[in-house]
Amino acid sequence: MNTMRKAWPIPVLAAAAVCWGSTLAAQDKDEQEGNQAAVAKAVLGARVPLERGLAASASHGQAISAKFEIEDGKLQLSVYTMKDGKFFEVVVDHNTGKVVKAEPIAEGEDYTAAQSQSAAMAKAKGSLRAAVEHALRGNAGFHAISVTPSLKDGRAVADVTSQRVRSSRPFPCRYSNECRGC
């Protein structure tokens, strides 16, 4: 009888943990969607397009991804670069186009993402800037919000998220080495 009393909390606690985890995952998704909308709205006031941020970061290595994001409640243009086998996060001022800071990426999720992006760029036939320009060509009135490379079936592809200048709704586009338009 004493054993039975000790055994029942384990399934109850396990069920509670699953419910709590599901709730956190749903909250995370809501926060992510809310953050995307906030970024899309804030980008409307940026003077520097993503393409210029990619060019500005070149002094810190090859760009391997770039995005506008909200950091500490403020819009920033973040570019991940690779130079001499090391990864950096380069922050470009979205009003002036000048590099504000460059910090090494040496661990954590950012490092894992940088490794994956670097592997994709190693197989790419062009630059991220070219991918963004290609995605925006023929889409007058759109600005890029982010560009992220990845490998799909062994081929490099660049996911470009853009938005209409007068809209706060993001629009995804996938560009690959064999892209024939978006």
Side-chain angles (χ1 to χ4, degrees):
M1 194 172 232
N2 217 359
T3 308
M4 196 64 161
R5 263 191 248 164
K6 289 181 183 176
W8 76 265
I10 294 172
V12 171
L13 291 175
V18 168
C19 292
W20 183 61
S22 298
T23 302
L24 288 178
Q27 286 175 340
D28 188 41
K29 184 178 178 189
D30 290 344
E31 285 177 22
Q32 195 174 37
E33 288 173 359
N35 191 30
Q36 287 175 340
V39 168
K41 187 175 180 181
V43 166
L44 294 175
R47 293 183 181 163
V48 175
L50 190 76
E51 307 91 272
R52 223 168 107 201
L54 287 164
S57 70
S59 62
H60 295 279
Q62 177 190 16
I64 57 173
S65 70
K67 66 180 175 180
F68 283 100
E69 63 184 348
I70 303 291
E71 187 73 29
D72 298 326
K74 296 180 182 177
L75 181 68
Q76 78 174 24
L77 175 47
S78 172
V79 182
Y80 281 15
T81 64
M82 183 182 76
K83 186 174 188 176
D84 299 327
K86 296 179 182 175
F87 302 114
F88 299 89
E89 179 181 17
V90 179
V91 177
V92 177
D93 185 295
H94 62 87
N95 287 314
T96 66
K98 295 183 179 181
V99 173
V100 176
K101 67 179 176 179
E103 297 178 341
I105 302 171
E107 61 186 6
E109 290 179 23
D110 290 343
Y111 185 76
T112 303
Q115 285 179 312
S116 173
Q117 294 161 2
S118 173
M121 288 305 296
K123 292 197 172 209
K125 294 180 182 174
S127 69
L128 289 180
R129 186 174 179 186
V132 170
E133 289 170 352
H134 178 83
L136 296 178
R137 193 177 305 127
N139 290 307
F142 280 80
H143 289 293
I145 297 174
S146 68
V147 58
T148 307
S150 61
L151 291 174
K152 182 176 181 180
D153 299 327
R155 294 184 334 211
V157 295
D159 290 316
V160 178
T161 301
S162 62
Q163 77 176 32
R164 189 176 300 278
V165 174
R166 294 190 178 130
S167 172
S168 60
R169 186 172 155 233
F171 173 79
C173 175
R174 174 161 277 181
Y175 172 79
S176 72
N177 291 329
E178 293 82 27
C179 186
R180 291 175 179 76
C182 300

